[in-house]
Amino acid sequence: MAASDTAASLFALLPVWLPLLGALLIGASGLPGVFLSSRSRAGERLAVVLHGVGALAVLVGAVASLFVASSPRFELAWSLPFGSFRIEVDGLSAAFLVPLVVVPALGAVYGLRYWSQREHPETGRKLRAFYGVLAASLVLLTIARDGVLFLFAWEGMALSAFFLITTDHDDPEARAAGRVYFIATHVGTLALFALLSIVFAQTGSFGLDALPEASASAGACAAIFALGLLGFGLKAGLMPLHVWLPGAHAVAPSHVSAVLSAVVLKTGVYGLARLTCMLPHPPLYWGGLVLALGAISGVAGVVFAIAQHDLKRLLAYHSIENVGIIVMGLGLALLGRSQGRADWIALGLGGAILHVWNHSFFKALLFLSAGSVIHRVHTREIDRMGGLARSMPVTAALFLCGAVAICGLPPLNGFVSELLIYLGLWKTLAPADGSPVAAAALAVPALAMIGALAAACFVKAFGAVFLGVARRPHEREPVEAPRTMLVPMAALALLCAAIGLLPALAVPFLDRAAATWSAAATAGGGAPVPLRTLAPVGPLGWITVLSAALWVGAAAAVLLLRRRMRVEDDQRVPTWDCGYAAPTARMQYSSSSFAEMLVAIFRWALRPREHAPRLRELFPKSAHHRSHVDDVVLDRWFLPVLRWIARKLLWLRFLQPGRIQLYILYVLIAVLALALSTVPVGELLKGLVPR
Amino acid sequence: MMSDRAVDAAVQPLLLLLLPPLLLGVIVKTKAAFAGRVGAPLLQPYHDLWKLLRKGAVLSRTTTSVFLAGPAITWVAVVLAGLLVPLAGGAAPIRFDGDLILFAYLLALGRFFTALAALDTGSSFEGMGAAREMTFACLAEPALFLGLLALARTSGGESLSDLFGAPIAASWSSATPTMVLVLFGLFIVLLVENSRIPFDDPNTHLELTMVHEVMVLDHGGPALGVVLHGAAVKLLVLSSLVVGLVVPVRVDAAPLRWALFVAATLAVAVAVGVVESTMARLRLLYVPNLLMGACLLTGFGFLLLLGTHP
Amino acid sequence: MSATADALLVFVLMLNFVVLGSGRIRSLIYTVAAQGVALGVLPVLVHPAGLREALVSIGAIVLKSAVIPRMLMRAMADLPVRREVQPLVGFRTSLVLGAVATAASLLLASRLPVLGNTAVRLLVPASFATVLCGFIVLIARVKAITQVLGYLVLENGIFLFGLLLLDAMPFLVEIGVLLDLFVAIFVMGIIINHIHREFSSISTERLSTLRE
């Protein structure tokens, strides 16, 4: 029947149209506010509504794509001489779309009270406009199938992120962080430009489809892979390319940091996944290299995190660690493709994408709750906080939820994705395989150490911020965050718990993504890999049962113990102080003291800087002690090298006297030279001289 | 006859709950024997637990609900981890591919909440204990995983019940050096996770030298009882890994099997008591070195397998 | 039609000389506006009349003769400047340079391999001459606002060149050029204000202190 045919074809196009429309809505969400007055609240409310509707459209489109047999395409020729407007929502895009669109939408709701127009009249509208553009570029780059369109969306994301990071442009720290971010992201974009040029040279088009085996030489593929690692690794924050991350995430407003950490980093991971999808026949060392980079990034990230005393910098370093874990899963999937093992691909890629989801949710939760704390206490220093669980109980409970999730502890979602990656690595041990591949299992202790270090770090963070007593008196007693800020956090916590309890919710997306990833490789003529869904290899049913048992058991145990140990408030006694009789709040373990042993163990990597007081006089006076850990890669490697280069090139300064007119003269000379170079000068002069 | 698995599944939880305090009693008796004393009765820990559970409650002003959640969640996590371990050379009541990772992470969950409960009191002693405990765990976890990796390489399994069991006897004959190294490594992990000498002295009275004891300094009454019982269950769970390594025989008759297991576990407790009596506590600065040594032992054992196996 | 177009182009070239030789800023603004009107009429004359040409015409005229002069007048209102008093290159010298540039363009431009509508012979030389005169104003003048006017003359020259390719260029690019001009002048107006606030003068010589 014609009607049902058209209906079916319309439905088949939904997965493509809905995300596009959603992206347009999200991108436009901040614009109406720009034209309204800076004192009205209608702009921010309209922005949230538009953003929410757009996000819902994208989400429905992503889910709909699971039900369509083959991924729909949409192509539109545009008037630029290269590239075309080609979008498609396949399994990989759909799997990444879900967190990419949920987290910014919840962040927008949070921003209503966190960065309300009334409190920040001069920066609020700009923030919302660029926030919408950022969220829309994220959607667009996930569904783009043409390299030029991808780069447009990539630059849109990078530039709007820059403006968001420097929202508080009066703060010199924010300006410095913005500068480093700007340089880093453009180096990455340059690498991507080079990558696309090589692709164009090999295939003659800018499409991001699988490279046909015939036209892709091994050298070109290796160059593409290396450039992809550089460009996408810079965005994802792989060590040692992470140098822009801690500064940028610390100075941005908290819901922007949440989006940066939870979502923008994942576009780097998406780029790597899409790239490895395109390249046929990955050699074994690619998978090993990616696995090793992920392990190094994970361990180094968490070791740096332990040494931090700025709450948001700590969370930023944890993002580096988690991206390392995700990349480990991707490396395992690459190894699986080289060896033709479908179970490694299913577990590695499934674990990586599930960790992308999980990290988006729990990192956003952590940043938002850290933001509520910072909003009330007006400082980011952990050592100035303390005892906030009593005045902000809901925020404390939500932060605890995020902390348990990020440490990968059952029954929350972090454990499930780490379990999948562990299982995949464990499978490389099977005695039948050759030993070089079994060495991949050495990543398992690295993952275990990452988990233990993360647990130490979050005990420190949660304990120093929320437990104990306040280390400094606050000028105003902090109160619980408003409901508009609590609702998005609670939604994220619920998502964490749901995925931890029922990972089967995410499995359709993971299966589809793994199928797309391995199928695209065979489309170019690679060896076919039999498809395995996660169900037979992952113990997801048992996880559900045991998580439920753990929730029930823990709840019952806590309730029983509380009932048995009920004590009236006026009958409580001071903490045991070993007979000192006058303990002060400053005597509590601070974050630096908690981390001291670990920083000492890792001091060869961390290079802590300490400013210790020297006692010169007989009687004690007040003194300062300060300890700090810089970002070693930035402050001890990159910056000294760059400063040396700048010193060596100082003699070129004579070209720069500071006069604009001279610079314009340079431009004129260059333009004339270019124009004359296109002309055969001899012929010109010949025609000039009259015969 | 009722299937072996059903019998095992019924006996294991009972054993998990009832046997642990006896281990503590055995350790105390062993140390007393070395010191020439009579020592406390073997069943003293049971009396202590019973007394604690009937006591009144005292709480500090600084603590929140996290303080009581700590012991409760730790206890539940450790007991659940115990259900994943094959105790008597058979299969654990709960087994699936990857349960060894859940095992390690349940113990980590317990450690996380114990440390949080310690920080909740706002006392510097407990903060110190929590810091030390979490630091030691960072180096002990890789050692545990490397040991399990080595066992998996020889036996080819992905579940604790597959690793410990029939394949162990074959592994002892085919890869003896690896098994010895793994045994040492796992024993050291046992000592550090349960805060025994040389990592912590459970009998010290000086707060500044404690690790686990000081973390639970402010707990009293029923909560302290839960803490003590949970710590004892953890000792049992980790010793059963050592027992599984050392006693690879499988006896068919169920009562004999369980009796053998109990005897072996008590032997491990005696071994712990011997170590505690003959060694002194290590200086705190050297503890990371010993833990890294354990990592190297198990890691080397694993690498030996990589080199020799085809 | 091409005769009218040629006449207009000669008028544009004359206006170039006026810009090069005059130092009074208000009259400079009017001159450049007049140049804009002349240019605005050209698309309809050079190409057969159509909707696209009409739109480009109207957009150019509105922008160059109404919107931009108004923005510049508003920027000027806050400043105490009325004349360019001490240019880097004197008025007479810049007139000579402009004459040399125009002559060079007239002689050489027709030899360049340029595609497009060559029925109006003066189009390519006039565009090159305007561009070079705009550059000369940019290099020779000291006050920021005069440099902005030099930039406007430069853009007029580029617009002229673009008329050649009106058929070949996508509409988007034409509109993009106009938008680019609008945004550039907007930004320059703001910057001039900031320069004045910072240095209490809009002499660009002060800007060399920013070099370090």
Coordinates of all heavy atoms in Angstrom, one line a residue, chain A residues 390 400 408 410 415 418 422 426-427 429 431 435 438 441 445 448 453 459 462 467 469 539 542 546 561-562 564 572-573 575-576 578 587-589, chain B residues 53 55 59-63 65 96-97 101-102 105 109 116 119-122 124-125 128 138 145-146 149 152-153 157-158 207 217-218 306:
Chain A
R390 N 26.3 18.1 57.1 CA 25.2 18.4 58.0 C 24.3 19.5 57.5 O 23.1 19.5 57.7 CB 25.8 18.8 59.4 CG 25.5 17.8 60.4 CD 26.0 18.3 61.8 NE 27.4 18.6 61.7 CZ 28.3 17.7 61.8 NH1 28.0 16.5 62.0 NH2 29.6 18.1 61.7
L400 N 28.2 11.5 47.3 CA 28.6 10.1 47.6 C 28.3 9.1 46.6 O 29.0 8.2 46.2 CB 28.0 9.8 49.0 CG 28.4 8.4 49.6 CD1 29.9 8.4 49.8 CD2 27.6 8.1 50.8
G408 N 34.2 2.8 40.7 CA 33.9 1.5 40.1 C 33.4 0.5 41.1 O 33.6 -0.7 41.0
P410 N 30.7 -1.8 43.2 CA 29.3 -2.2 43.1 C 28.5 -1.5 44.1 O 29.0 -1.2 45.2 CB 29.4 -3.7 43.3 CG 30.7 -3.9 44.0 CD 31.6 -2.8 43.6
F415 N 31.1 0.1 38.1 CA 31.6 -1.3 38.2 C 31.3 -2.1 37.0 O 32.1 -2.9 36.5 CB 31.0 -2.0 39.4 CG 31.3 -3.4 39.6 CD1 32.6 -3.8 39.9 CD2 30.4 -4.4 39.3 CE1 32.9 -5.1 40.0 CE2 30.7 -5.7 39.4 CZ 32.0 -6.1 39.7
E418 N 33.7 -1.3 34.1 CA 35.0 -1.8 34.3 C 35.0 -3.3 34.3 O 36.0 -3.9 33.9 CB 35.5 -1.3 35.7 CG 35.8 0.2 35.6 CD 36.6 0.7 36.8 OE1 37.3 -0.1 37.4 OE2 36.5 1.9 37.1
Y422 N 37.6 -5.5 32.2 CA 38.4 -6.6 32.9 C 38.2 -7.9 32.2 O 39.1 -8.6 31.9 CB 37.9 -6.7 34.3 CG 38.6 -5.9 35.3 CD1 37.9 -4.9 36.1 CD2 40.0 -6.1 35.6 CE1 38.6 -4.2 37.1 CE2 40.6 -5.4 36.6 CZ 39.9 -4.4 37.3 OH 40.5 -3.7 38.3
W426 N 40.8 -10.3 30.5 CA 41.0 -11.6 31.0 C 41.0 -12.6 30.0 O 41.7 -13.6 30.0 CB 39.9 -11.9 32.1 CG 40.4 -12.8 33.2 CD1 40.3 -14.1 33.2 CD2 41.0 -12.4 34.4 NE1 40.8 -14.6 34.4 CE2 41.3 -13.6 35.1 CE3 41.4 -11.2 35.0 CZ2 41.9 -13.6 36.4 CZ3 42.0 -11.2 36.2 CH2 42.2 -12.4 36.9
K427 N 40.1 -12.4 28.9 CA 40.0 -13.4 27.9 C 41.3 -13.5 27.0 O 41.5 -14.5 26.4 CB 38.8 -13.1 27.0 CG 37.5 -13.5 27.7 CD 36.4 -13.6 26.6 CE 35.1 -13.7 27.3 NZ 34.9 -14.9 28.1
L429 N 44.0 -14.0 28.1 CA 44.9 -14.9 28.8 C 44.9 -16.3 28.3 O 45.8 -17.1 28.6 CB 44.6 -14.9 30.3 CG 45.2 -13.9 31.2 CD1 44.7 -14.2 32.6 CD2 46.7 -14.0 31.1
P431 N 45.2 -19.9 27.3 CA 46.5 -20.5 27.0 C 46.7 -20.7 25.5 O 47.9 -20.9 25.1 CB 46.5 -21.8 27.8 CG 45.5 -21.6 28.9 CD 44.5 -20.7 28.3
S435 N 51.9 -15.5 23.3 CA 52.2 -14.7 24.5 C 52.2 -13.2 24.2 O 51.9 -12.5 25.2 CB 53.5 -15.2 25.1 OG 54.4 -15.5 24.1
A438 N 48.9 -12.1 25.2 CA 48.5 -12.3 26.6 C 49.2 -11.3 27.5 O 48.7 -11.0 28.6 CB 49.0 -13.7 27.0
A441 N 47.1 -8.7 29.2 CA 46.5 -8.9 30.5 C 47.3 -8.1 31.6 O 46.8 -8.0 32.7 CB 46.5 -10.3 30.9
P445 N 46.4 -5.4 36.3 CA 46.8 -4.8 37.5 C 46.8 -3.3 37.5 O 46.6 -2.7 38.5 CB 48.2 -5.3 37.7 CG 48.4 -6.5 36.8 CD 47.4 -6.3 35.7
A448 N 43.5 -2.4 38.2 CA 43.2 -2.5 39.7 C 43.8 -1.4 40.5 O 43.2 -0.9 41.4 CB 43.8 -3.9 40.1
L453 N 43.5 3.6 43.7 CA 43.9 5.0 43.9 C 42.7 5.9 43.8 O 42.6 6.9 44.6 CB 44.9 5.4 42.8 CG 46.3 4.8 43.0 CD1 47.1 5.0 41.7 CD2 47.0 5.5 44.1
V459 N 37.8 9.0 48.9 CA 37.6 9.0 50.3 C 38.1 10.3 50.9 O 37.5 11.0 51.7 CB 38.4 7.8 51.0 CG1 38.5 8.1 52.5 CG2 37.7 6.6 50.8
F462 N 35.6 13.3 49.5 CA 34.3 13.3 50.2 C 34.5 13.6 51.7 O 33.8 14.4 52.3 CB 33.5 12.0 50.0 CG 32.2 12.0 50.6 CD1 31.1 12.6 50.0 CD2 31.9 11.3 51.8 CE1 29.9 12.6 50.6 CE2 30.7 11.3 52.4 CZ 29.6 12.0 51.7
L467 N 32.6 15.6 55.5 CA 32.6 15.0 56.8 C 33.4 15.8 57.8 O 34.1 16.7 57.4 CB 33.1 13.5 56.7 CG 32.3 12.6 55.8 CD1 33.0 11.3 55.7 CD2 30.9 12.5 56.3
V469 N 34.3 18.4 60.7 CA 33.8 19.8 61.0 C 34.5 20.8 60.1 O 35.5 20.5 59.5 CB 34.1 20.2 62.5 CG1 33.0 19.6 63.4 CG2 35.4 19.8 62.9
P539 N 28.3 -11.3 32.1 CA 27.4 -11.8 33.1 C 26.4 -10.8 33.6 O 26.3 -10.5 34.8 CB 28.4 -12.2 34.2 CG 29.5 -11.2 34.1 CD 29.6 -10.9 32.7
W542 N 23.7 -11.9 36.3 CA 24.2 -12.0 37.7 C 24.4 -10.7 38.3 O 24.2 -10.5 39.5 CB 25.5 -12.8 37.7 CG 25.3 -14.3 37.8 CD1 25.6 -15.2 36.9 CD2 24.8 -15.0 38.9 NE1 25.3 -16.5 37.3 CE2 24.8 -16.3 38.6 CE3 24.3 -14.6 40.2 CZ2 24.3 -17.3 39.5 CZ3 23.9 -15.5 41.0 CH2 23.9 -16.9 40.7
L546 N 22.9 -9.6 41.9 CA 23.8 -9.3 43.0 C 23.7 -7.8 43.4 O 23.8 -7.5 44.6 CB 25.2 -9.7 42.7 CG 25.4 -11.2 42.7 CD1 26.8 -11.5 42.2 CD2 25.2 -11.8 44.1
L561 N 21.1 -1.3 62.1 CA 22.1 -0.7 63.0 C 21.7 0.6 63.6 O 22.0 0.9 64.7 CB 23.5 -0.7 62.3 CG 24.7 -0.5 63.1 CD1 24.8 -1.7 64.1 CD2 25.9 -0.4 62.3
R562 N 21.1 1.4 62.7 CA 20.7 2.8 63.2 C 19.7 2.6 64.3 O 19.7 3.4 65.3 CB 20.2 3.6 62.1 CG 21.3 4.2 61.2 CD 20.8 5.0 60.1 NE 20.2 6.2 60.7 CZ 19.9 7.3 60.0 NH1 20.3 7.3 58.7 NH2 19.4 8.3 60.5
R564 N 19.3 0.2 66.3 CA 19.9 -0.4 67.5 C 20.8 0.6 68.2 O 20.9 0.6 69.4 CB 20.7 -1.6 67.1 CG 21.4 -2.4 68.2 CD 20.4 -3.1 69.0 NE 21.1 -3.7 70.1 CZ 21.5 -3.1 71.2 NH1 21.3 -1.8 71.3 NH2 22.2 -3.7 72.1
R572 N 24.9 13.0 72.9 CA 26.1 12.7 72.1 C 27.3 13.3 72.8 O 27.2 14.3 73.5 CB 26.0 13.3 70.7 CG 25.0 12.5 69.9 CD 25.1 12.9 68.5 NE 24.3 12.0 67.6 CZ 24.6 11.6 66.5 NH1 25.8 11.9 66.0 NH2 23.8 10.8 65.8
V573 N 28.5 12.7 72.6 CA 29.7 13.1 73.3 C 30.7 13.5 72.2 O 30.6 13.2 71.1 CB 30.3 11.9 74.1 CG1 29.3 11.6 75.2 CG2 30.5 10.7 73.2
T575 N 34.2 13.5 70.1 CA 35.0 12.5 69.5 C 36.2 12.2 70.5 O 36.7 13.1 71.1 CB 35.5 12.9 68.1 OG1 34.4 13.2 67.3 CG2 36.3 11.8 67.5
W576 N 36.7 11.0 70.5 CA 37.8 10.6 71.3 C 39.0 11.4 70.9 O 39.4 11.4 69.7 CB 38.1 9.1 71.2 CG 39.4 8.7 71.8 CD1 40.5 8.2 71.2 CD2 39.8 8.8 73.2 NE1 41.5 8.0 72.0 CE2 41.1 8.3 73.3 CE3 39.1 9.2 74.4 CZ2 41.8 8.2 74.5 CZ3 39.8 9.1 75.6 CH2 41.1 8.6 75.6
C578 N 42.1 11.3 72.6 CA 43.3 10.8 73.2 C 43.7 11.7 74.4 O 44.9 11.8 74.8 CB 44.5 10.8 72.2 SG 45.9 9.8 72.7
M587 N 42.7 20.5 63.5 CA 43.5 19.3 63.8 C 43.1 18.1 62.9 O 43.7 17.1 62.9 CB 43.4 18.9 65.2 CG 44.2 19.8 66.1 SD 44.0 19.3 67.8 CE 45.0 20.5 68.6
Q588 N 42.0 18.3 62.3 CA 41.5 17.2 61.4 C 42.5 16.9 60.3 O 43.2 17.8 59.9 CB 40.2 17.5 60.7 CG 39.0 17.6 61.6 CD 37.9 18.1 60.8 OE1 37.0 17.3 60.4 NE2 37.8 19.4 60.5
Y589 N 42.4 15.7 59.8 CA 43.2 15.4 58.6 C 42.7 16.2 57.5 O 41.6 16.2 57.1 CB 43.1 13.9 58.3 CG 44.4 13.2 58.5 CD1 45.2 13.3 59.6 CD2 44.9 12.4 57.5 CE1 46.4 12.7 59.7 CE2 46.1 11.7 57.6 CZ 46.8 11.9 58.7 OH 48.0 11.2 58.8
Chain B
L53 N 27.2 -6.9 71.5 CA 25.9 -6.7 70.9 C 24.8 -6.3 71.9 O 23.8 -5.8 71.5 CB 25.5 -8.0 70.1 CG 26.3 -8.2 68.9 CD1 25.9 -9.6 68.3 CD2 26.0 -7.1 67.8
K55 N 25.4 -4.2 74.4 CA 25.8 -3.0 75.1 C 24.9 -1.8 74.6 O 24.3 -1.9 73.6 CB 27.2 -2.6 74.8 CG 28.2 -3.2 75.8 CD 29.6 -2.7 75.5 CE 30.3 -2.5 76.8 NZ 31.6 -1.9 76.6
L59 N 27.4 7.8 70.7 CA 27.8 8.4 69.4 C 28.5 9.7 69.6 O 28.2 10.4 70.5 CB 26.6 8.5 68.5 CG 26.1 7.2 67.9 CD1 24.9 7.5 67.0 CD2 27.2 6.5 67.0
S60 N 29.3 10.1 68.6 CA 30.0 11.4 68.7 C 29.2 12.4 68.1 O 28.3 12.2 67.3 CB 31.4 11.3 68.0 OG 31.8 12.5 67.5
R61 N 29.4 13.7 68.6 CA 28.6 14.8 68.0 C 28.9 15.1 66.6 O 28.1 15.6 65.9 CB 29.0 16.1 68.8 CG 28.3 16.2 70.1 CD 28.5 17.5 70.8 NE 28.4 17.3 72.2 CZ 29.3 17.7 73.1 NH1 30.3 18.4 72.7 NH2 29.1 17.5 74.4
T62 N 30.2 14.8 66.2 CA 30.6 15.2 64.8 C 30.0 14.2 63.8 O 30.0 14.6 62.6 CB 32.1 15.1 64.7 OG1 32.7 15.0 66.0 CG2 32.6 16.3 64.1
T63 N 29.6 13.0 64.2 CA 29.3 12.0 63.1 C 27.9 12.2 62.5 O 27.0 12.8 63.1 CB 29.3 10.6 63.7 OG1 28.4 10.6 64.8 CG2 30.7 10.3 64.2
S65 N 25.1 10.1 59.4 CA 24.7 8.8 59.2 C 25.7 7.9 58.5 O 25.6 6.7 58.5 CB 23.4 8.8 58.4 OG 23.5 9.7 57.4
F96 N 30.0 -17.1 38.4 CA 29.8 -16.6 37.0 C 31.2 -16.1 36.6 O 32.1 -15.8 37.3 CB 28.7 -15.6 36.9 CG 28.9 -14.4 37.8 CD1 29.6 -13.3 37.3 CD2 28.4 -14.3 39.1 CE1 29.8 -12.2 38.1 CE2 28.6 -13.2 39.9 CZ 29.3 -12.1 39.4
D97 N 31.3 -15.9 35.2 CA 32.5 -15.4 34.7 C 32.8 -14.0 35.2 O 32.0 -13.1 35.0 CB 32.4 -15.4 33.1 CG 32.7 -16.8 32.6 OD1 33.2 -17.6 33.3 OD2 32.5 -16.9 31.4
I101 N 36.5 -10.4 39.9 CA 36.5 -9.0 40.0 C 35.5 -8.4 40.9 O 35.8 -7.5 41.7 CB 36.4 -8.5 38.5 CG1 37.5 -9.0 37.7 CG2 36.3 -7.0 38.5 CD1 37.2 -9.1 36.2
L102 N 34.3 -9.0 40.9 CA 33.3 -8.6 41.9 C 33.8 -8.8 43.3 O 33.6 -8.0 44.2 CB 32.0 -9.3 41.7 CG 30.9 -8.9 42.6 CD1 30.5 -7.5 42.4 CD2 29.7 -9.8 42.3
Y105 N 36.3 -6.1 44.2 CA 35.6 -4.8 44.4 C 34.7 -4.7 45.5 O 34.4 -3.7 46.1 CB 35.0 -4.4 43.0 CG 35.9 -3.7 42.1 CD1 36.9 -4.4 41.5 CD2 35.9 -2.3 41.9 CE1 37.8 -3.8 40.6 CE2 36.8 -1.7 41.1 CZ 37.7 -2.4 40.4 OH 38.6 -1.8 39.6
L109 N 34.7 -2.0 48.3 CA 33.6 -1.2 48.8 C 33.6 -1.2 50.3 O 33.3 -0.1 50.9 CB 32.3 -1.9 48.3 CG 31.0 -1.3 48.7 CD1 30.8 0.0 48.0 CD2 29.8 -2.2 48.3
L116 N 35.5 6.1 55.1 CA 34.6 7.2 55.2 C 34.1 7.3 56.7 O 34.0 8.5 57.2 CB 33.4 7.1 54.3 CG 33.7 7.5 52.9 CD1 32.4 7.5 52.1 CD2 34.2 8.9 52.8
L119 N 36.7 9.0 58.7 CA 36.8 10.4 58.5 C 35.6 11.2 59.1 O 35.7 12.4 59.3 CB 36.9 10.8 57.0 CG 38.3 10.5 56.4 CD1 38.3 10.7 55.0 CD2 39.3 11.3 57.1
D120 N 34.5 10.5 59.3 CA 33.3 11.2 59.7 C 33.5 11.7 61.2 O 32.8 12.6 61.5 CB 32.1 10.2 59.7 CG 30.8 10.9 59.7 OD1 30.8 12.1 59.5 OD2 29.8 10.2 60.0
T121 N 34.4 11.1 61.9 CA 34.5 11.6 63.3 C 35.2 12.9 63.4 O 35.2 13.5 64.5 CB 35.2 10.5 64.1 OG1 36.5 10.3 63.5 CG2 34.5 9.2 64.1
G122 N 35.9 13.3 62.4 CA 36.7 14.5 62.5 C 37.9 14.4 63.4 O 38.4 15.5 63.9
S124 N 41.9 13.4 64.0 CA 43.1 13.2 63.2 C 43.6 11.8 63.2 O 44.2 11.3 62.3 CB 44.2 14.2 63.6 OG 44.1 14.5 64.9
F125 N 43.3 11.1 64.4 CA 43.8 9.7 64.4 C 43.1 8.9 63.4 O 43.8 8.1 62.7 CB 43.5 9.1 65.8 CG 44.2 9.8 66.9 CD1 43.5 10.5 67.9 CD2 45.6 9.9 66.9 CE1 44.2 11.1 68.9 CE2 46.2 10.6 68.0 CZ 45.5 11.2 68.9
M128 N 44.3 9.5 60.0 CA 45.6 8.9 59.7 C 45.4 7.5 59.4 O 46.0 7.0 58.4 CB 46.4 9.1 61.0 CG 47.8 8.5 60.9 SD 48.5 8.5 62.5 CE 47.6 7.2 63.2
C138 N 46.3 0.5 47.7 CA 46.6 0.8 46.3 C 47.7 -0.1 45.8 O 47.8 -0.4 44.6 CB 47.2 2.2 46.2 SG 45.9 3.4 46.6
F145 N 45.6 -9.1 42.0 CA 45.2 -9.4 40.7 C 46.2 -10.1 39.9 O 45.9 -10.9 39.0 CB 44.8 -8.0 40.0 CG 43.4 -7.7 40.1 CD1 42.9 -6.9 41.2 CD2 42.4 -8.2 39.2 CE1 41.6 -6.6 41.3 CE2 41.1 -7.8 39.4 CZ 40.7 -7.1 40.4
L146 N 47.5 -9.8 40.1 CA 48.5 -10.5 39.4 C 48.6 -11.9 39.8 O 48.8 -12.8 39.0 CB 49.9 -9.8 39.7 CG 50.2 -8.6 38.8 CD1 51.4 -7.9 39.4 CD2 50.4 -9.0 37.4
L149 N 45.8 -13.5 38.0 CA 46.1 -13.7 36.6 C 47.0 -14.9 36.4 O 46.7 -15.7 35.4 CB 46.9 -12.4 36.1 CG 46.1 -11.2 35.7 CD1 47.0 -10.2 35.2 CD2 45.2 -11.6 34.5
A152 N 44.9 -17.9 36.6 CA 44.0 -18.0 35.4 C 44.8 -18.5 34.2 O 44.3 -19.3 33.4 CB 43.4 -16.7 35.1
R153 N 46.0 -18.1 34.1 CA 46.8 -18.5 32.9 C 47.1 -20.0 33.0 O 47.0 -20.7 31.9 CB 48.2 -17.8 32.9 CG 49.1 -18.1 31.9 CD 48.7 -17.5 30.6 NE 49.8 -17.8 29.6 CZ 49.6 -17.7 28.3 NH1 48.5 -17.2 27.8 NH2 50.6 -17.9 27.5
G157 N 40.6 -20.3 33.6 CA 39.3 -20.0 34.0 C 39.0 -18.5 34.2 O 39.9 -17.7 34.2
E158 N 37.7 -18.1 34.3 CA 37.4 -16.8 34.5 C 36.6 -16.6 35.8 O 36.1 -15.5 36.0 CB 36.6 -16.2 33.3 CG 37.4 -16.0 32.1 CD 36.6 -16.0 30.9 OE1 35.4 -15.7 31.0 OE2 37.2 -16.3 29.8
E207 N 47.7 5.1 69.6 CA 46.9 5.4 68.4 C 47.8 5.7 67.2 O 47.4 5.5 66.1 CB 46.0 6.6 68.7 CG 44.8 6.3 69.6 CD 45.2 6.5 71.1 OE1 46.4 6.6 71.3 OE2 44.3 6.6 71.9
L217 N 38.2 3.5 66.1 CA 38.4 3.9 67.5 C 37.1 4.4 68.1 O 36.9 4.2 69.3 CB 39.4 5.0 67.5 CG 40.2 5.3 68.7 CD1 40.9 4.0 69.1 CD2 41.2 6.3 68.5
D218 N 36.3 5.1 67.4 CA 35.1 5.7 68.0 C 33.9 4.8 68.0 O 32.9 5.2 68.5 CB 34.8 7.1 67.3 CG 35.5 8.2 68.0 OD1 36.7 8.3 67.9 OD2 34.8 9.0 68.6
L306 N 54.1 -16.6 31.0 CA 54.0 -16.0 29.7 C 55.2 -16.5 28.8 O 55.0 -16.8 27.7 CB 54.1 -14.5 29.7 CG 52.8 -13.7 30.0 CD1 53.0 -12.3 29.8 CD2 51.7 -14.3 29.2

